[in-house]
Amino acid sequence: MANLIDGKRISQEIKDELKEKTAGLKRQGIEGCLAVIQVGADPASTVYVRNKKRACEYIGIESRSFELPEETTQEQLLELIQNLNTDELVNGILVQLPVPDQIDENKIIQAIAPQKDVDGFHPQNVGALTSGLPGFVSCTPAGVIQLLKRSGISIAGKNCVVVGRSNIVGKPMALLMLREHATVTIAHSRTQNLKEVCRQADILIVAVGKPKLIDASYVKEGAVVIDVGIHRNEDQKLCGDVDFDSVSAHAGAITPVPGGVGPMTIAMLMYNCVQAMTR
Ligand code: NDP
C-alpha cells in the first residue's frame, strides 16, 4: 500500500510558518493586503474566494474583496485593476478565474502589475520561471514541489512525467521539475502510447481534468503519484484524475483527493502574498 502524501498537514505547516513571518513583518511596520476580485457568482469560484480570504485572515494579512456583477465589462475590470496596481496599500491582486465570456482572460492577466501578480500567471512571471529568474510561480505547481520536498521525496535525476500542458498547471509544473533537476516528459491529449509513457515515470504528476483516467496499469510499481485533478462524482463525492483505489495498491506514495494538492494551492498563494510584502 502506498504512503499517503498529506497535503492537509503540509499546507497547515506552511501557513503556520507564514503566520509567524507576517507577525515579524508587522513588527517592522510592513502590512500585507491582497485584493480579491470575483466577477459573477459562480458557486465554485465563491467557495475558492472564501477559502482564500480565510487563509489571509489566518496568516494575518488583510483581504480586500471586490464582488462585481456578471455583466461587468472588460473596461470596468481593467480600470479596477489599474487602480489597484497603483494603490500602495495593496501588494497582491488576484482575479478569480474563469471570468465571464465578454472579458478576455489574457488581457486581464496581462493588466495586473507583475510585482502584484500573486497567481504567477503574468507573462513576465512565466518568462522569469522559464529563464530561472526570481518571480511569482503559479501556486498549484509550486505546491506540488513543496509536497514532494516536505515528504522527503528526492527529485533530482528522477524520471518525471507530467500529464497535461495547461498554462496554469502542466507547463509550469514541468518547468519546476526541470529546475529541480528531474528528467521531464510532458504528455497531453495527442501523446501516443500514454500508458507506456506514464509507466516510465518515477514521479507521475497528473493534471488532465478527466476523472479517474489514470489507473494502476499506467503506474510503475513503487512510483510517486501526484493527482492534481478535482472532480465531483455522481454522489457529490470528490475524486481526482487518478483512480486512487487501484493506484494506491502499488504506487510508492500518492496524494489523496481531497487532502492532497488542493490545500497546497492556497498555502502557496499565501506564500506568494508574503513574498509580495517583502519586495
Ligand atoms: P486544462 O483542461 O486546462 O488542461 C488539461 C490538460 O490535459 C491539457 O493539456 C490536455 O491536453 C490534457 N489532456 C486532456 N485529456 C487527456 C487525455 N485523455 N490524455 C492525456 N492528456 C489529456 O486543465 P487544468 O490544467 O486547468 O486542470 C487539470 C485538472 O486539475 C482539473 O481537474 C482541474 O480541476 C484541476 N486543478 C486543480 C487545482 C488544485 O488546486 N488542486 C488547481 C488547478 C486545476 P491538450 O493540451 O492536448 O488539450
Side-chain angles (χ1 to χ4, degrees):
M1 188 70 185
N3 289 326
L4 217 56
I5 300 176
D6 188 349
K8 237 175 136 178
R9 179 186 62 76
I10 295 171
S11 64
Q12 188 60 46
E13 191 178 288
I14 292 172
K15 283 189 287 182
D16 286 336
E17 290 165 15
L18 293 171
K19 189 176 182 169
E20 229 172 84
K21 197 152 186 195
T22 57
L25 288 168
K26 265 190 194 151
R27 287 194 288 275
Q28 299 168 45
I30 303 170
E31 299 278 346
C33 175
L34 173 67
V36 183
I37 306 171
Q38 183 182 357
V39 186
D42 171 62
S45 292
T46 303
V47 173
Y48 287 131
V49 163
R50 189 172 60 219
N51 290 341
K52 289 170 185 178
K53 289 194 285 196
R54 276 192 191 145
C56 286
E57 197 181 336
Y58 184 80
I59 71 154
I61 64 177
E62 186 197 339
S63 64
R64 227 192 264 177
S65 270
F66 297 88
E67 285 156 20
L68 308 181
E70 182 78 30
E71 60 277 10
T72 301
T73 64
Q74 181 166 293
E75 289 61 40
Q76 287 167 326
L77 182 53
L78 287 173
E79 193 183 328
L80 171 60
I81 292 170
Q82 275 318 325
N83 290 337
L84 294 169
N85 280 343
T86 52
D87 185 334
E88 286 182 5
L89 297 176
V90 171
N91 27 46
I93 302 171
L94 180 151
V95 178
Q96 184 63 43
L97 301 177
V99 284
D101 290 345
Q102 73 275 17
I103 299 174
D104 179 345
E105 192 170 291
N106 282 325
K107 286 225 165 74
I108 299 308
I109 290 171
Q110 288 168 29
I112 297 172
Q115 67 276 14
K116 297 191 180 187
D117 167 42
V118 285
D119 260 335
F121 296 161
H122 191 284
Q124 186 173 313
N125 284 316
V126 176
L129 173 62
T130 312
S131 321
L133 296 169
F136 292 113
V137 177
S138 179
C139 303
T140 302
V144 171
I145 297 291
Q146 287 301 313
L147 276 182
L148 293 170
K149 287 189 169 175
R150 289 175 187 243
S151 304
I153 294 163
S154 63
I155 304 175
K158 296 285 172 64
N159 275 337
C160 172
V161 175
V162 178
V163 192
R165 56 173 167 180
S166 70
N167 287 337
I168 61 166
V169 188
K171 281 184 206 158
M173 189 69 252
L175 286 167
L176 283 175
M177 291 302 277
L178 193 60
R179 192 162 88 178
E180 298 295 332
H181 312 295
T183 303
V184 182
T185 303
I186 307 175
H188 46 77
S189 67
R190 311 281 183 95
T191 297
Q192 290 181 358
N193 305 322
L194 181 66
K195 212 174 256 193
E196 277 144 53
V197 171
C198 289
R199 274 208 296 254
Q200 300 299 313
D202 303 310
I203 302 174
L204 178 63
I205 304 176
V206 188
V208 291
K210 298 269 184 311
K212 301 190 183 181
L213 175 77
I214 302 295
D215 64 21
S217 64
Y218 289 75
V219 179
K220 180 167 80 176
E221 186 87 39
V224 174
V225 180
I226 305 288
D227 187 356
V228 180
I230 311 179
H231 313 274
R232 229 172 247 289
N233 67 13
E234 321 69 72
D235 317 323
Q236 295 304 303
K237 278 179 78 180
L238 291 177
C239 74
D241 291 343
V242 173
D243 182 354
F244 183 86
D245 293 337
S246 143
V247 172
S248 61
H250 89 166
I254 187 168
T255 56
V257 178
V261 175
M264 294 302 292
T265 300
I266 291 189
M268 296 318 287
L269 173 69
M270 294 301 109
Y271 175 85
N272 282 350
C273 289
V274 175
Q275 291 288 104
M277 285 167 74
T278 52
R279 282 186 175 190

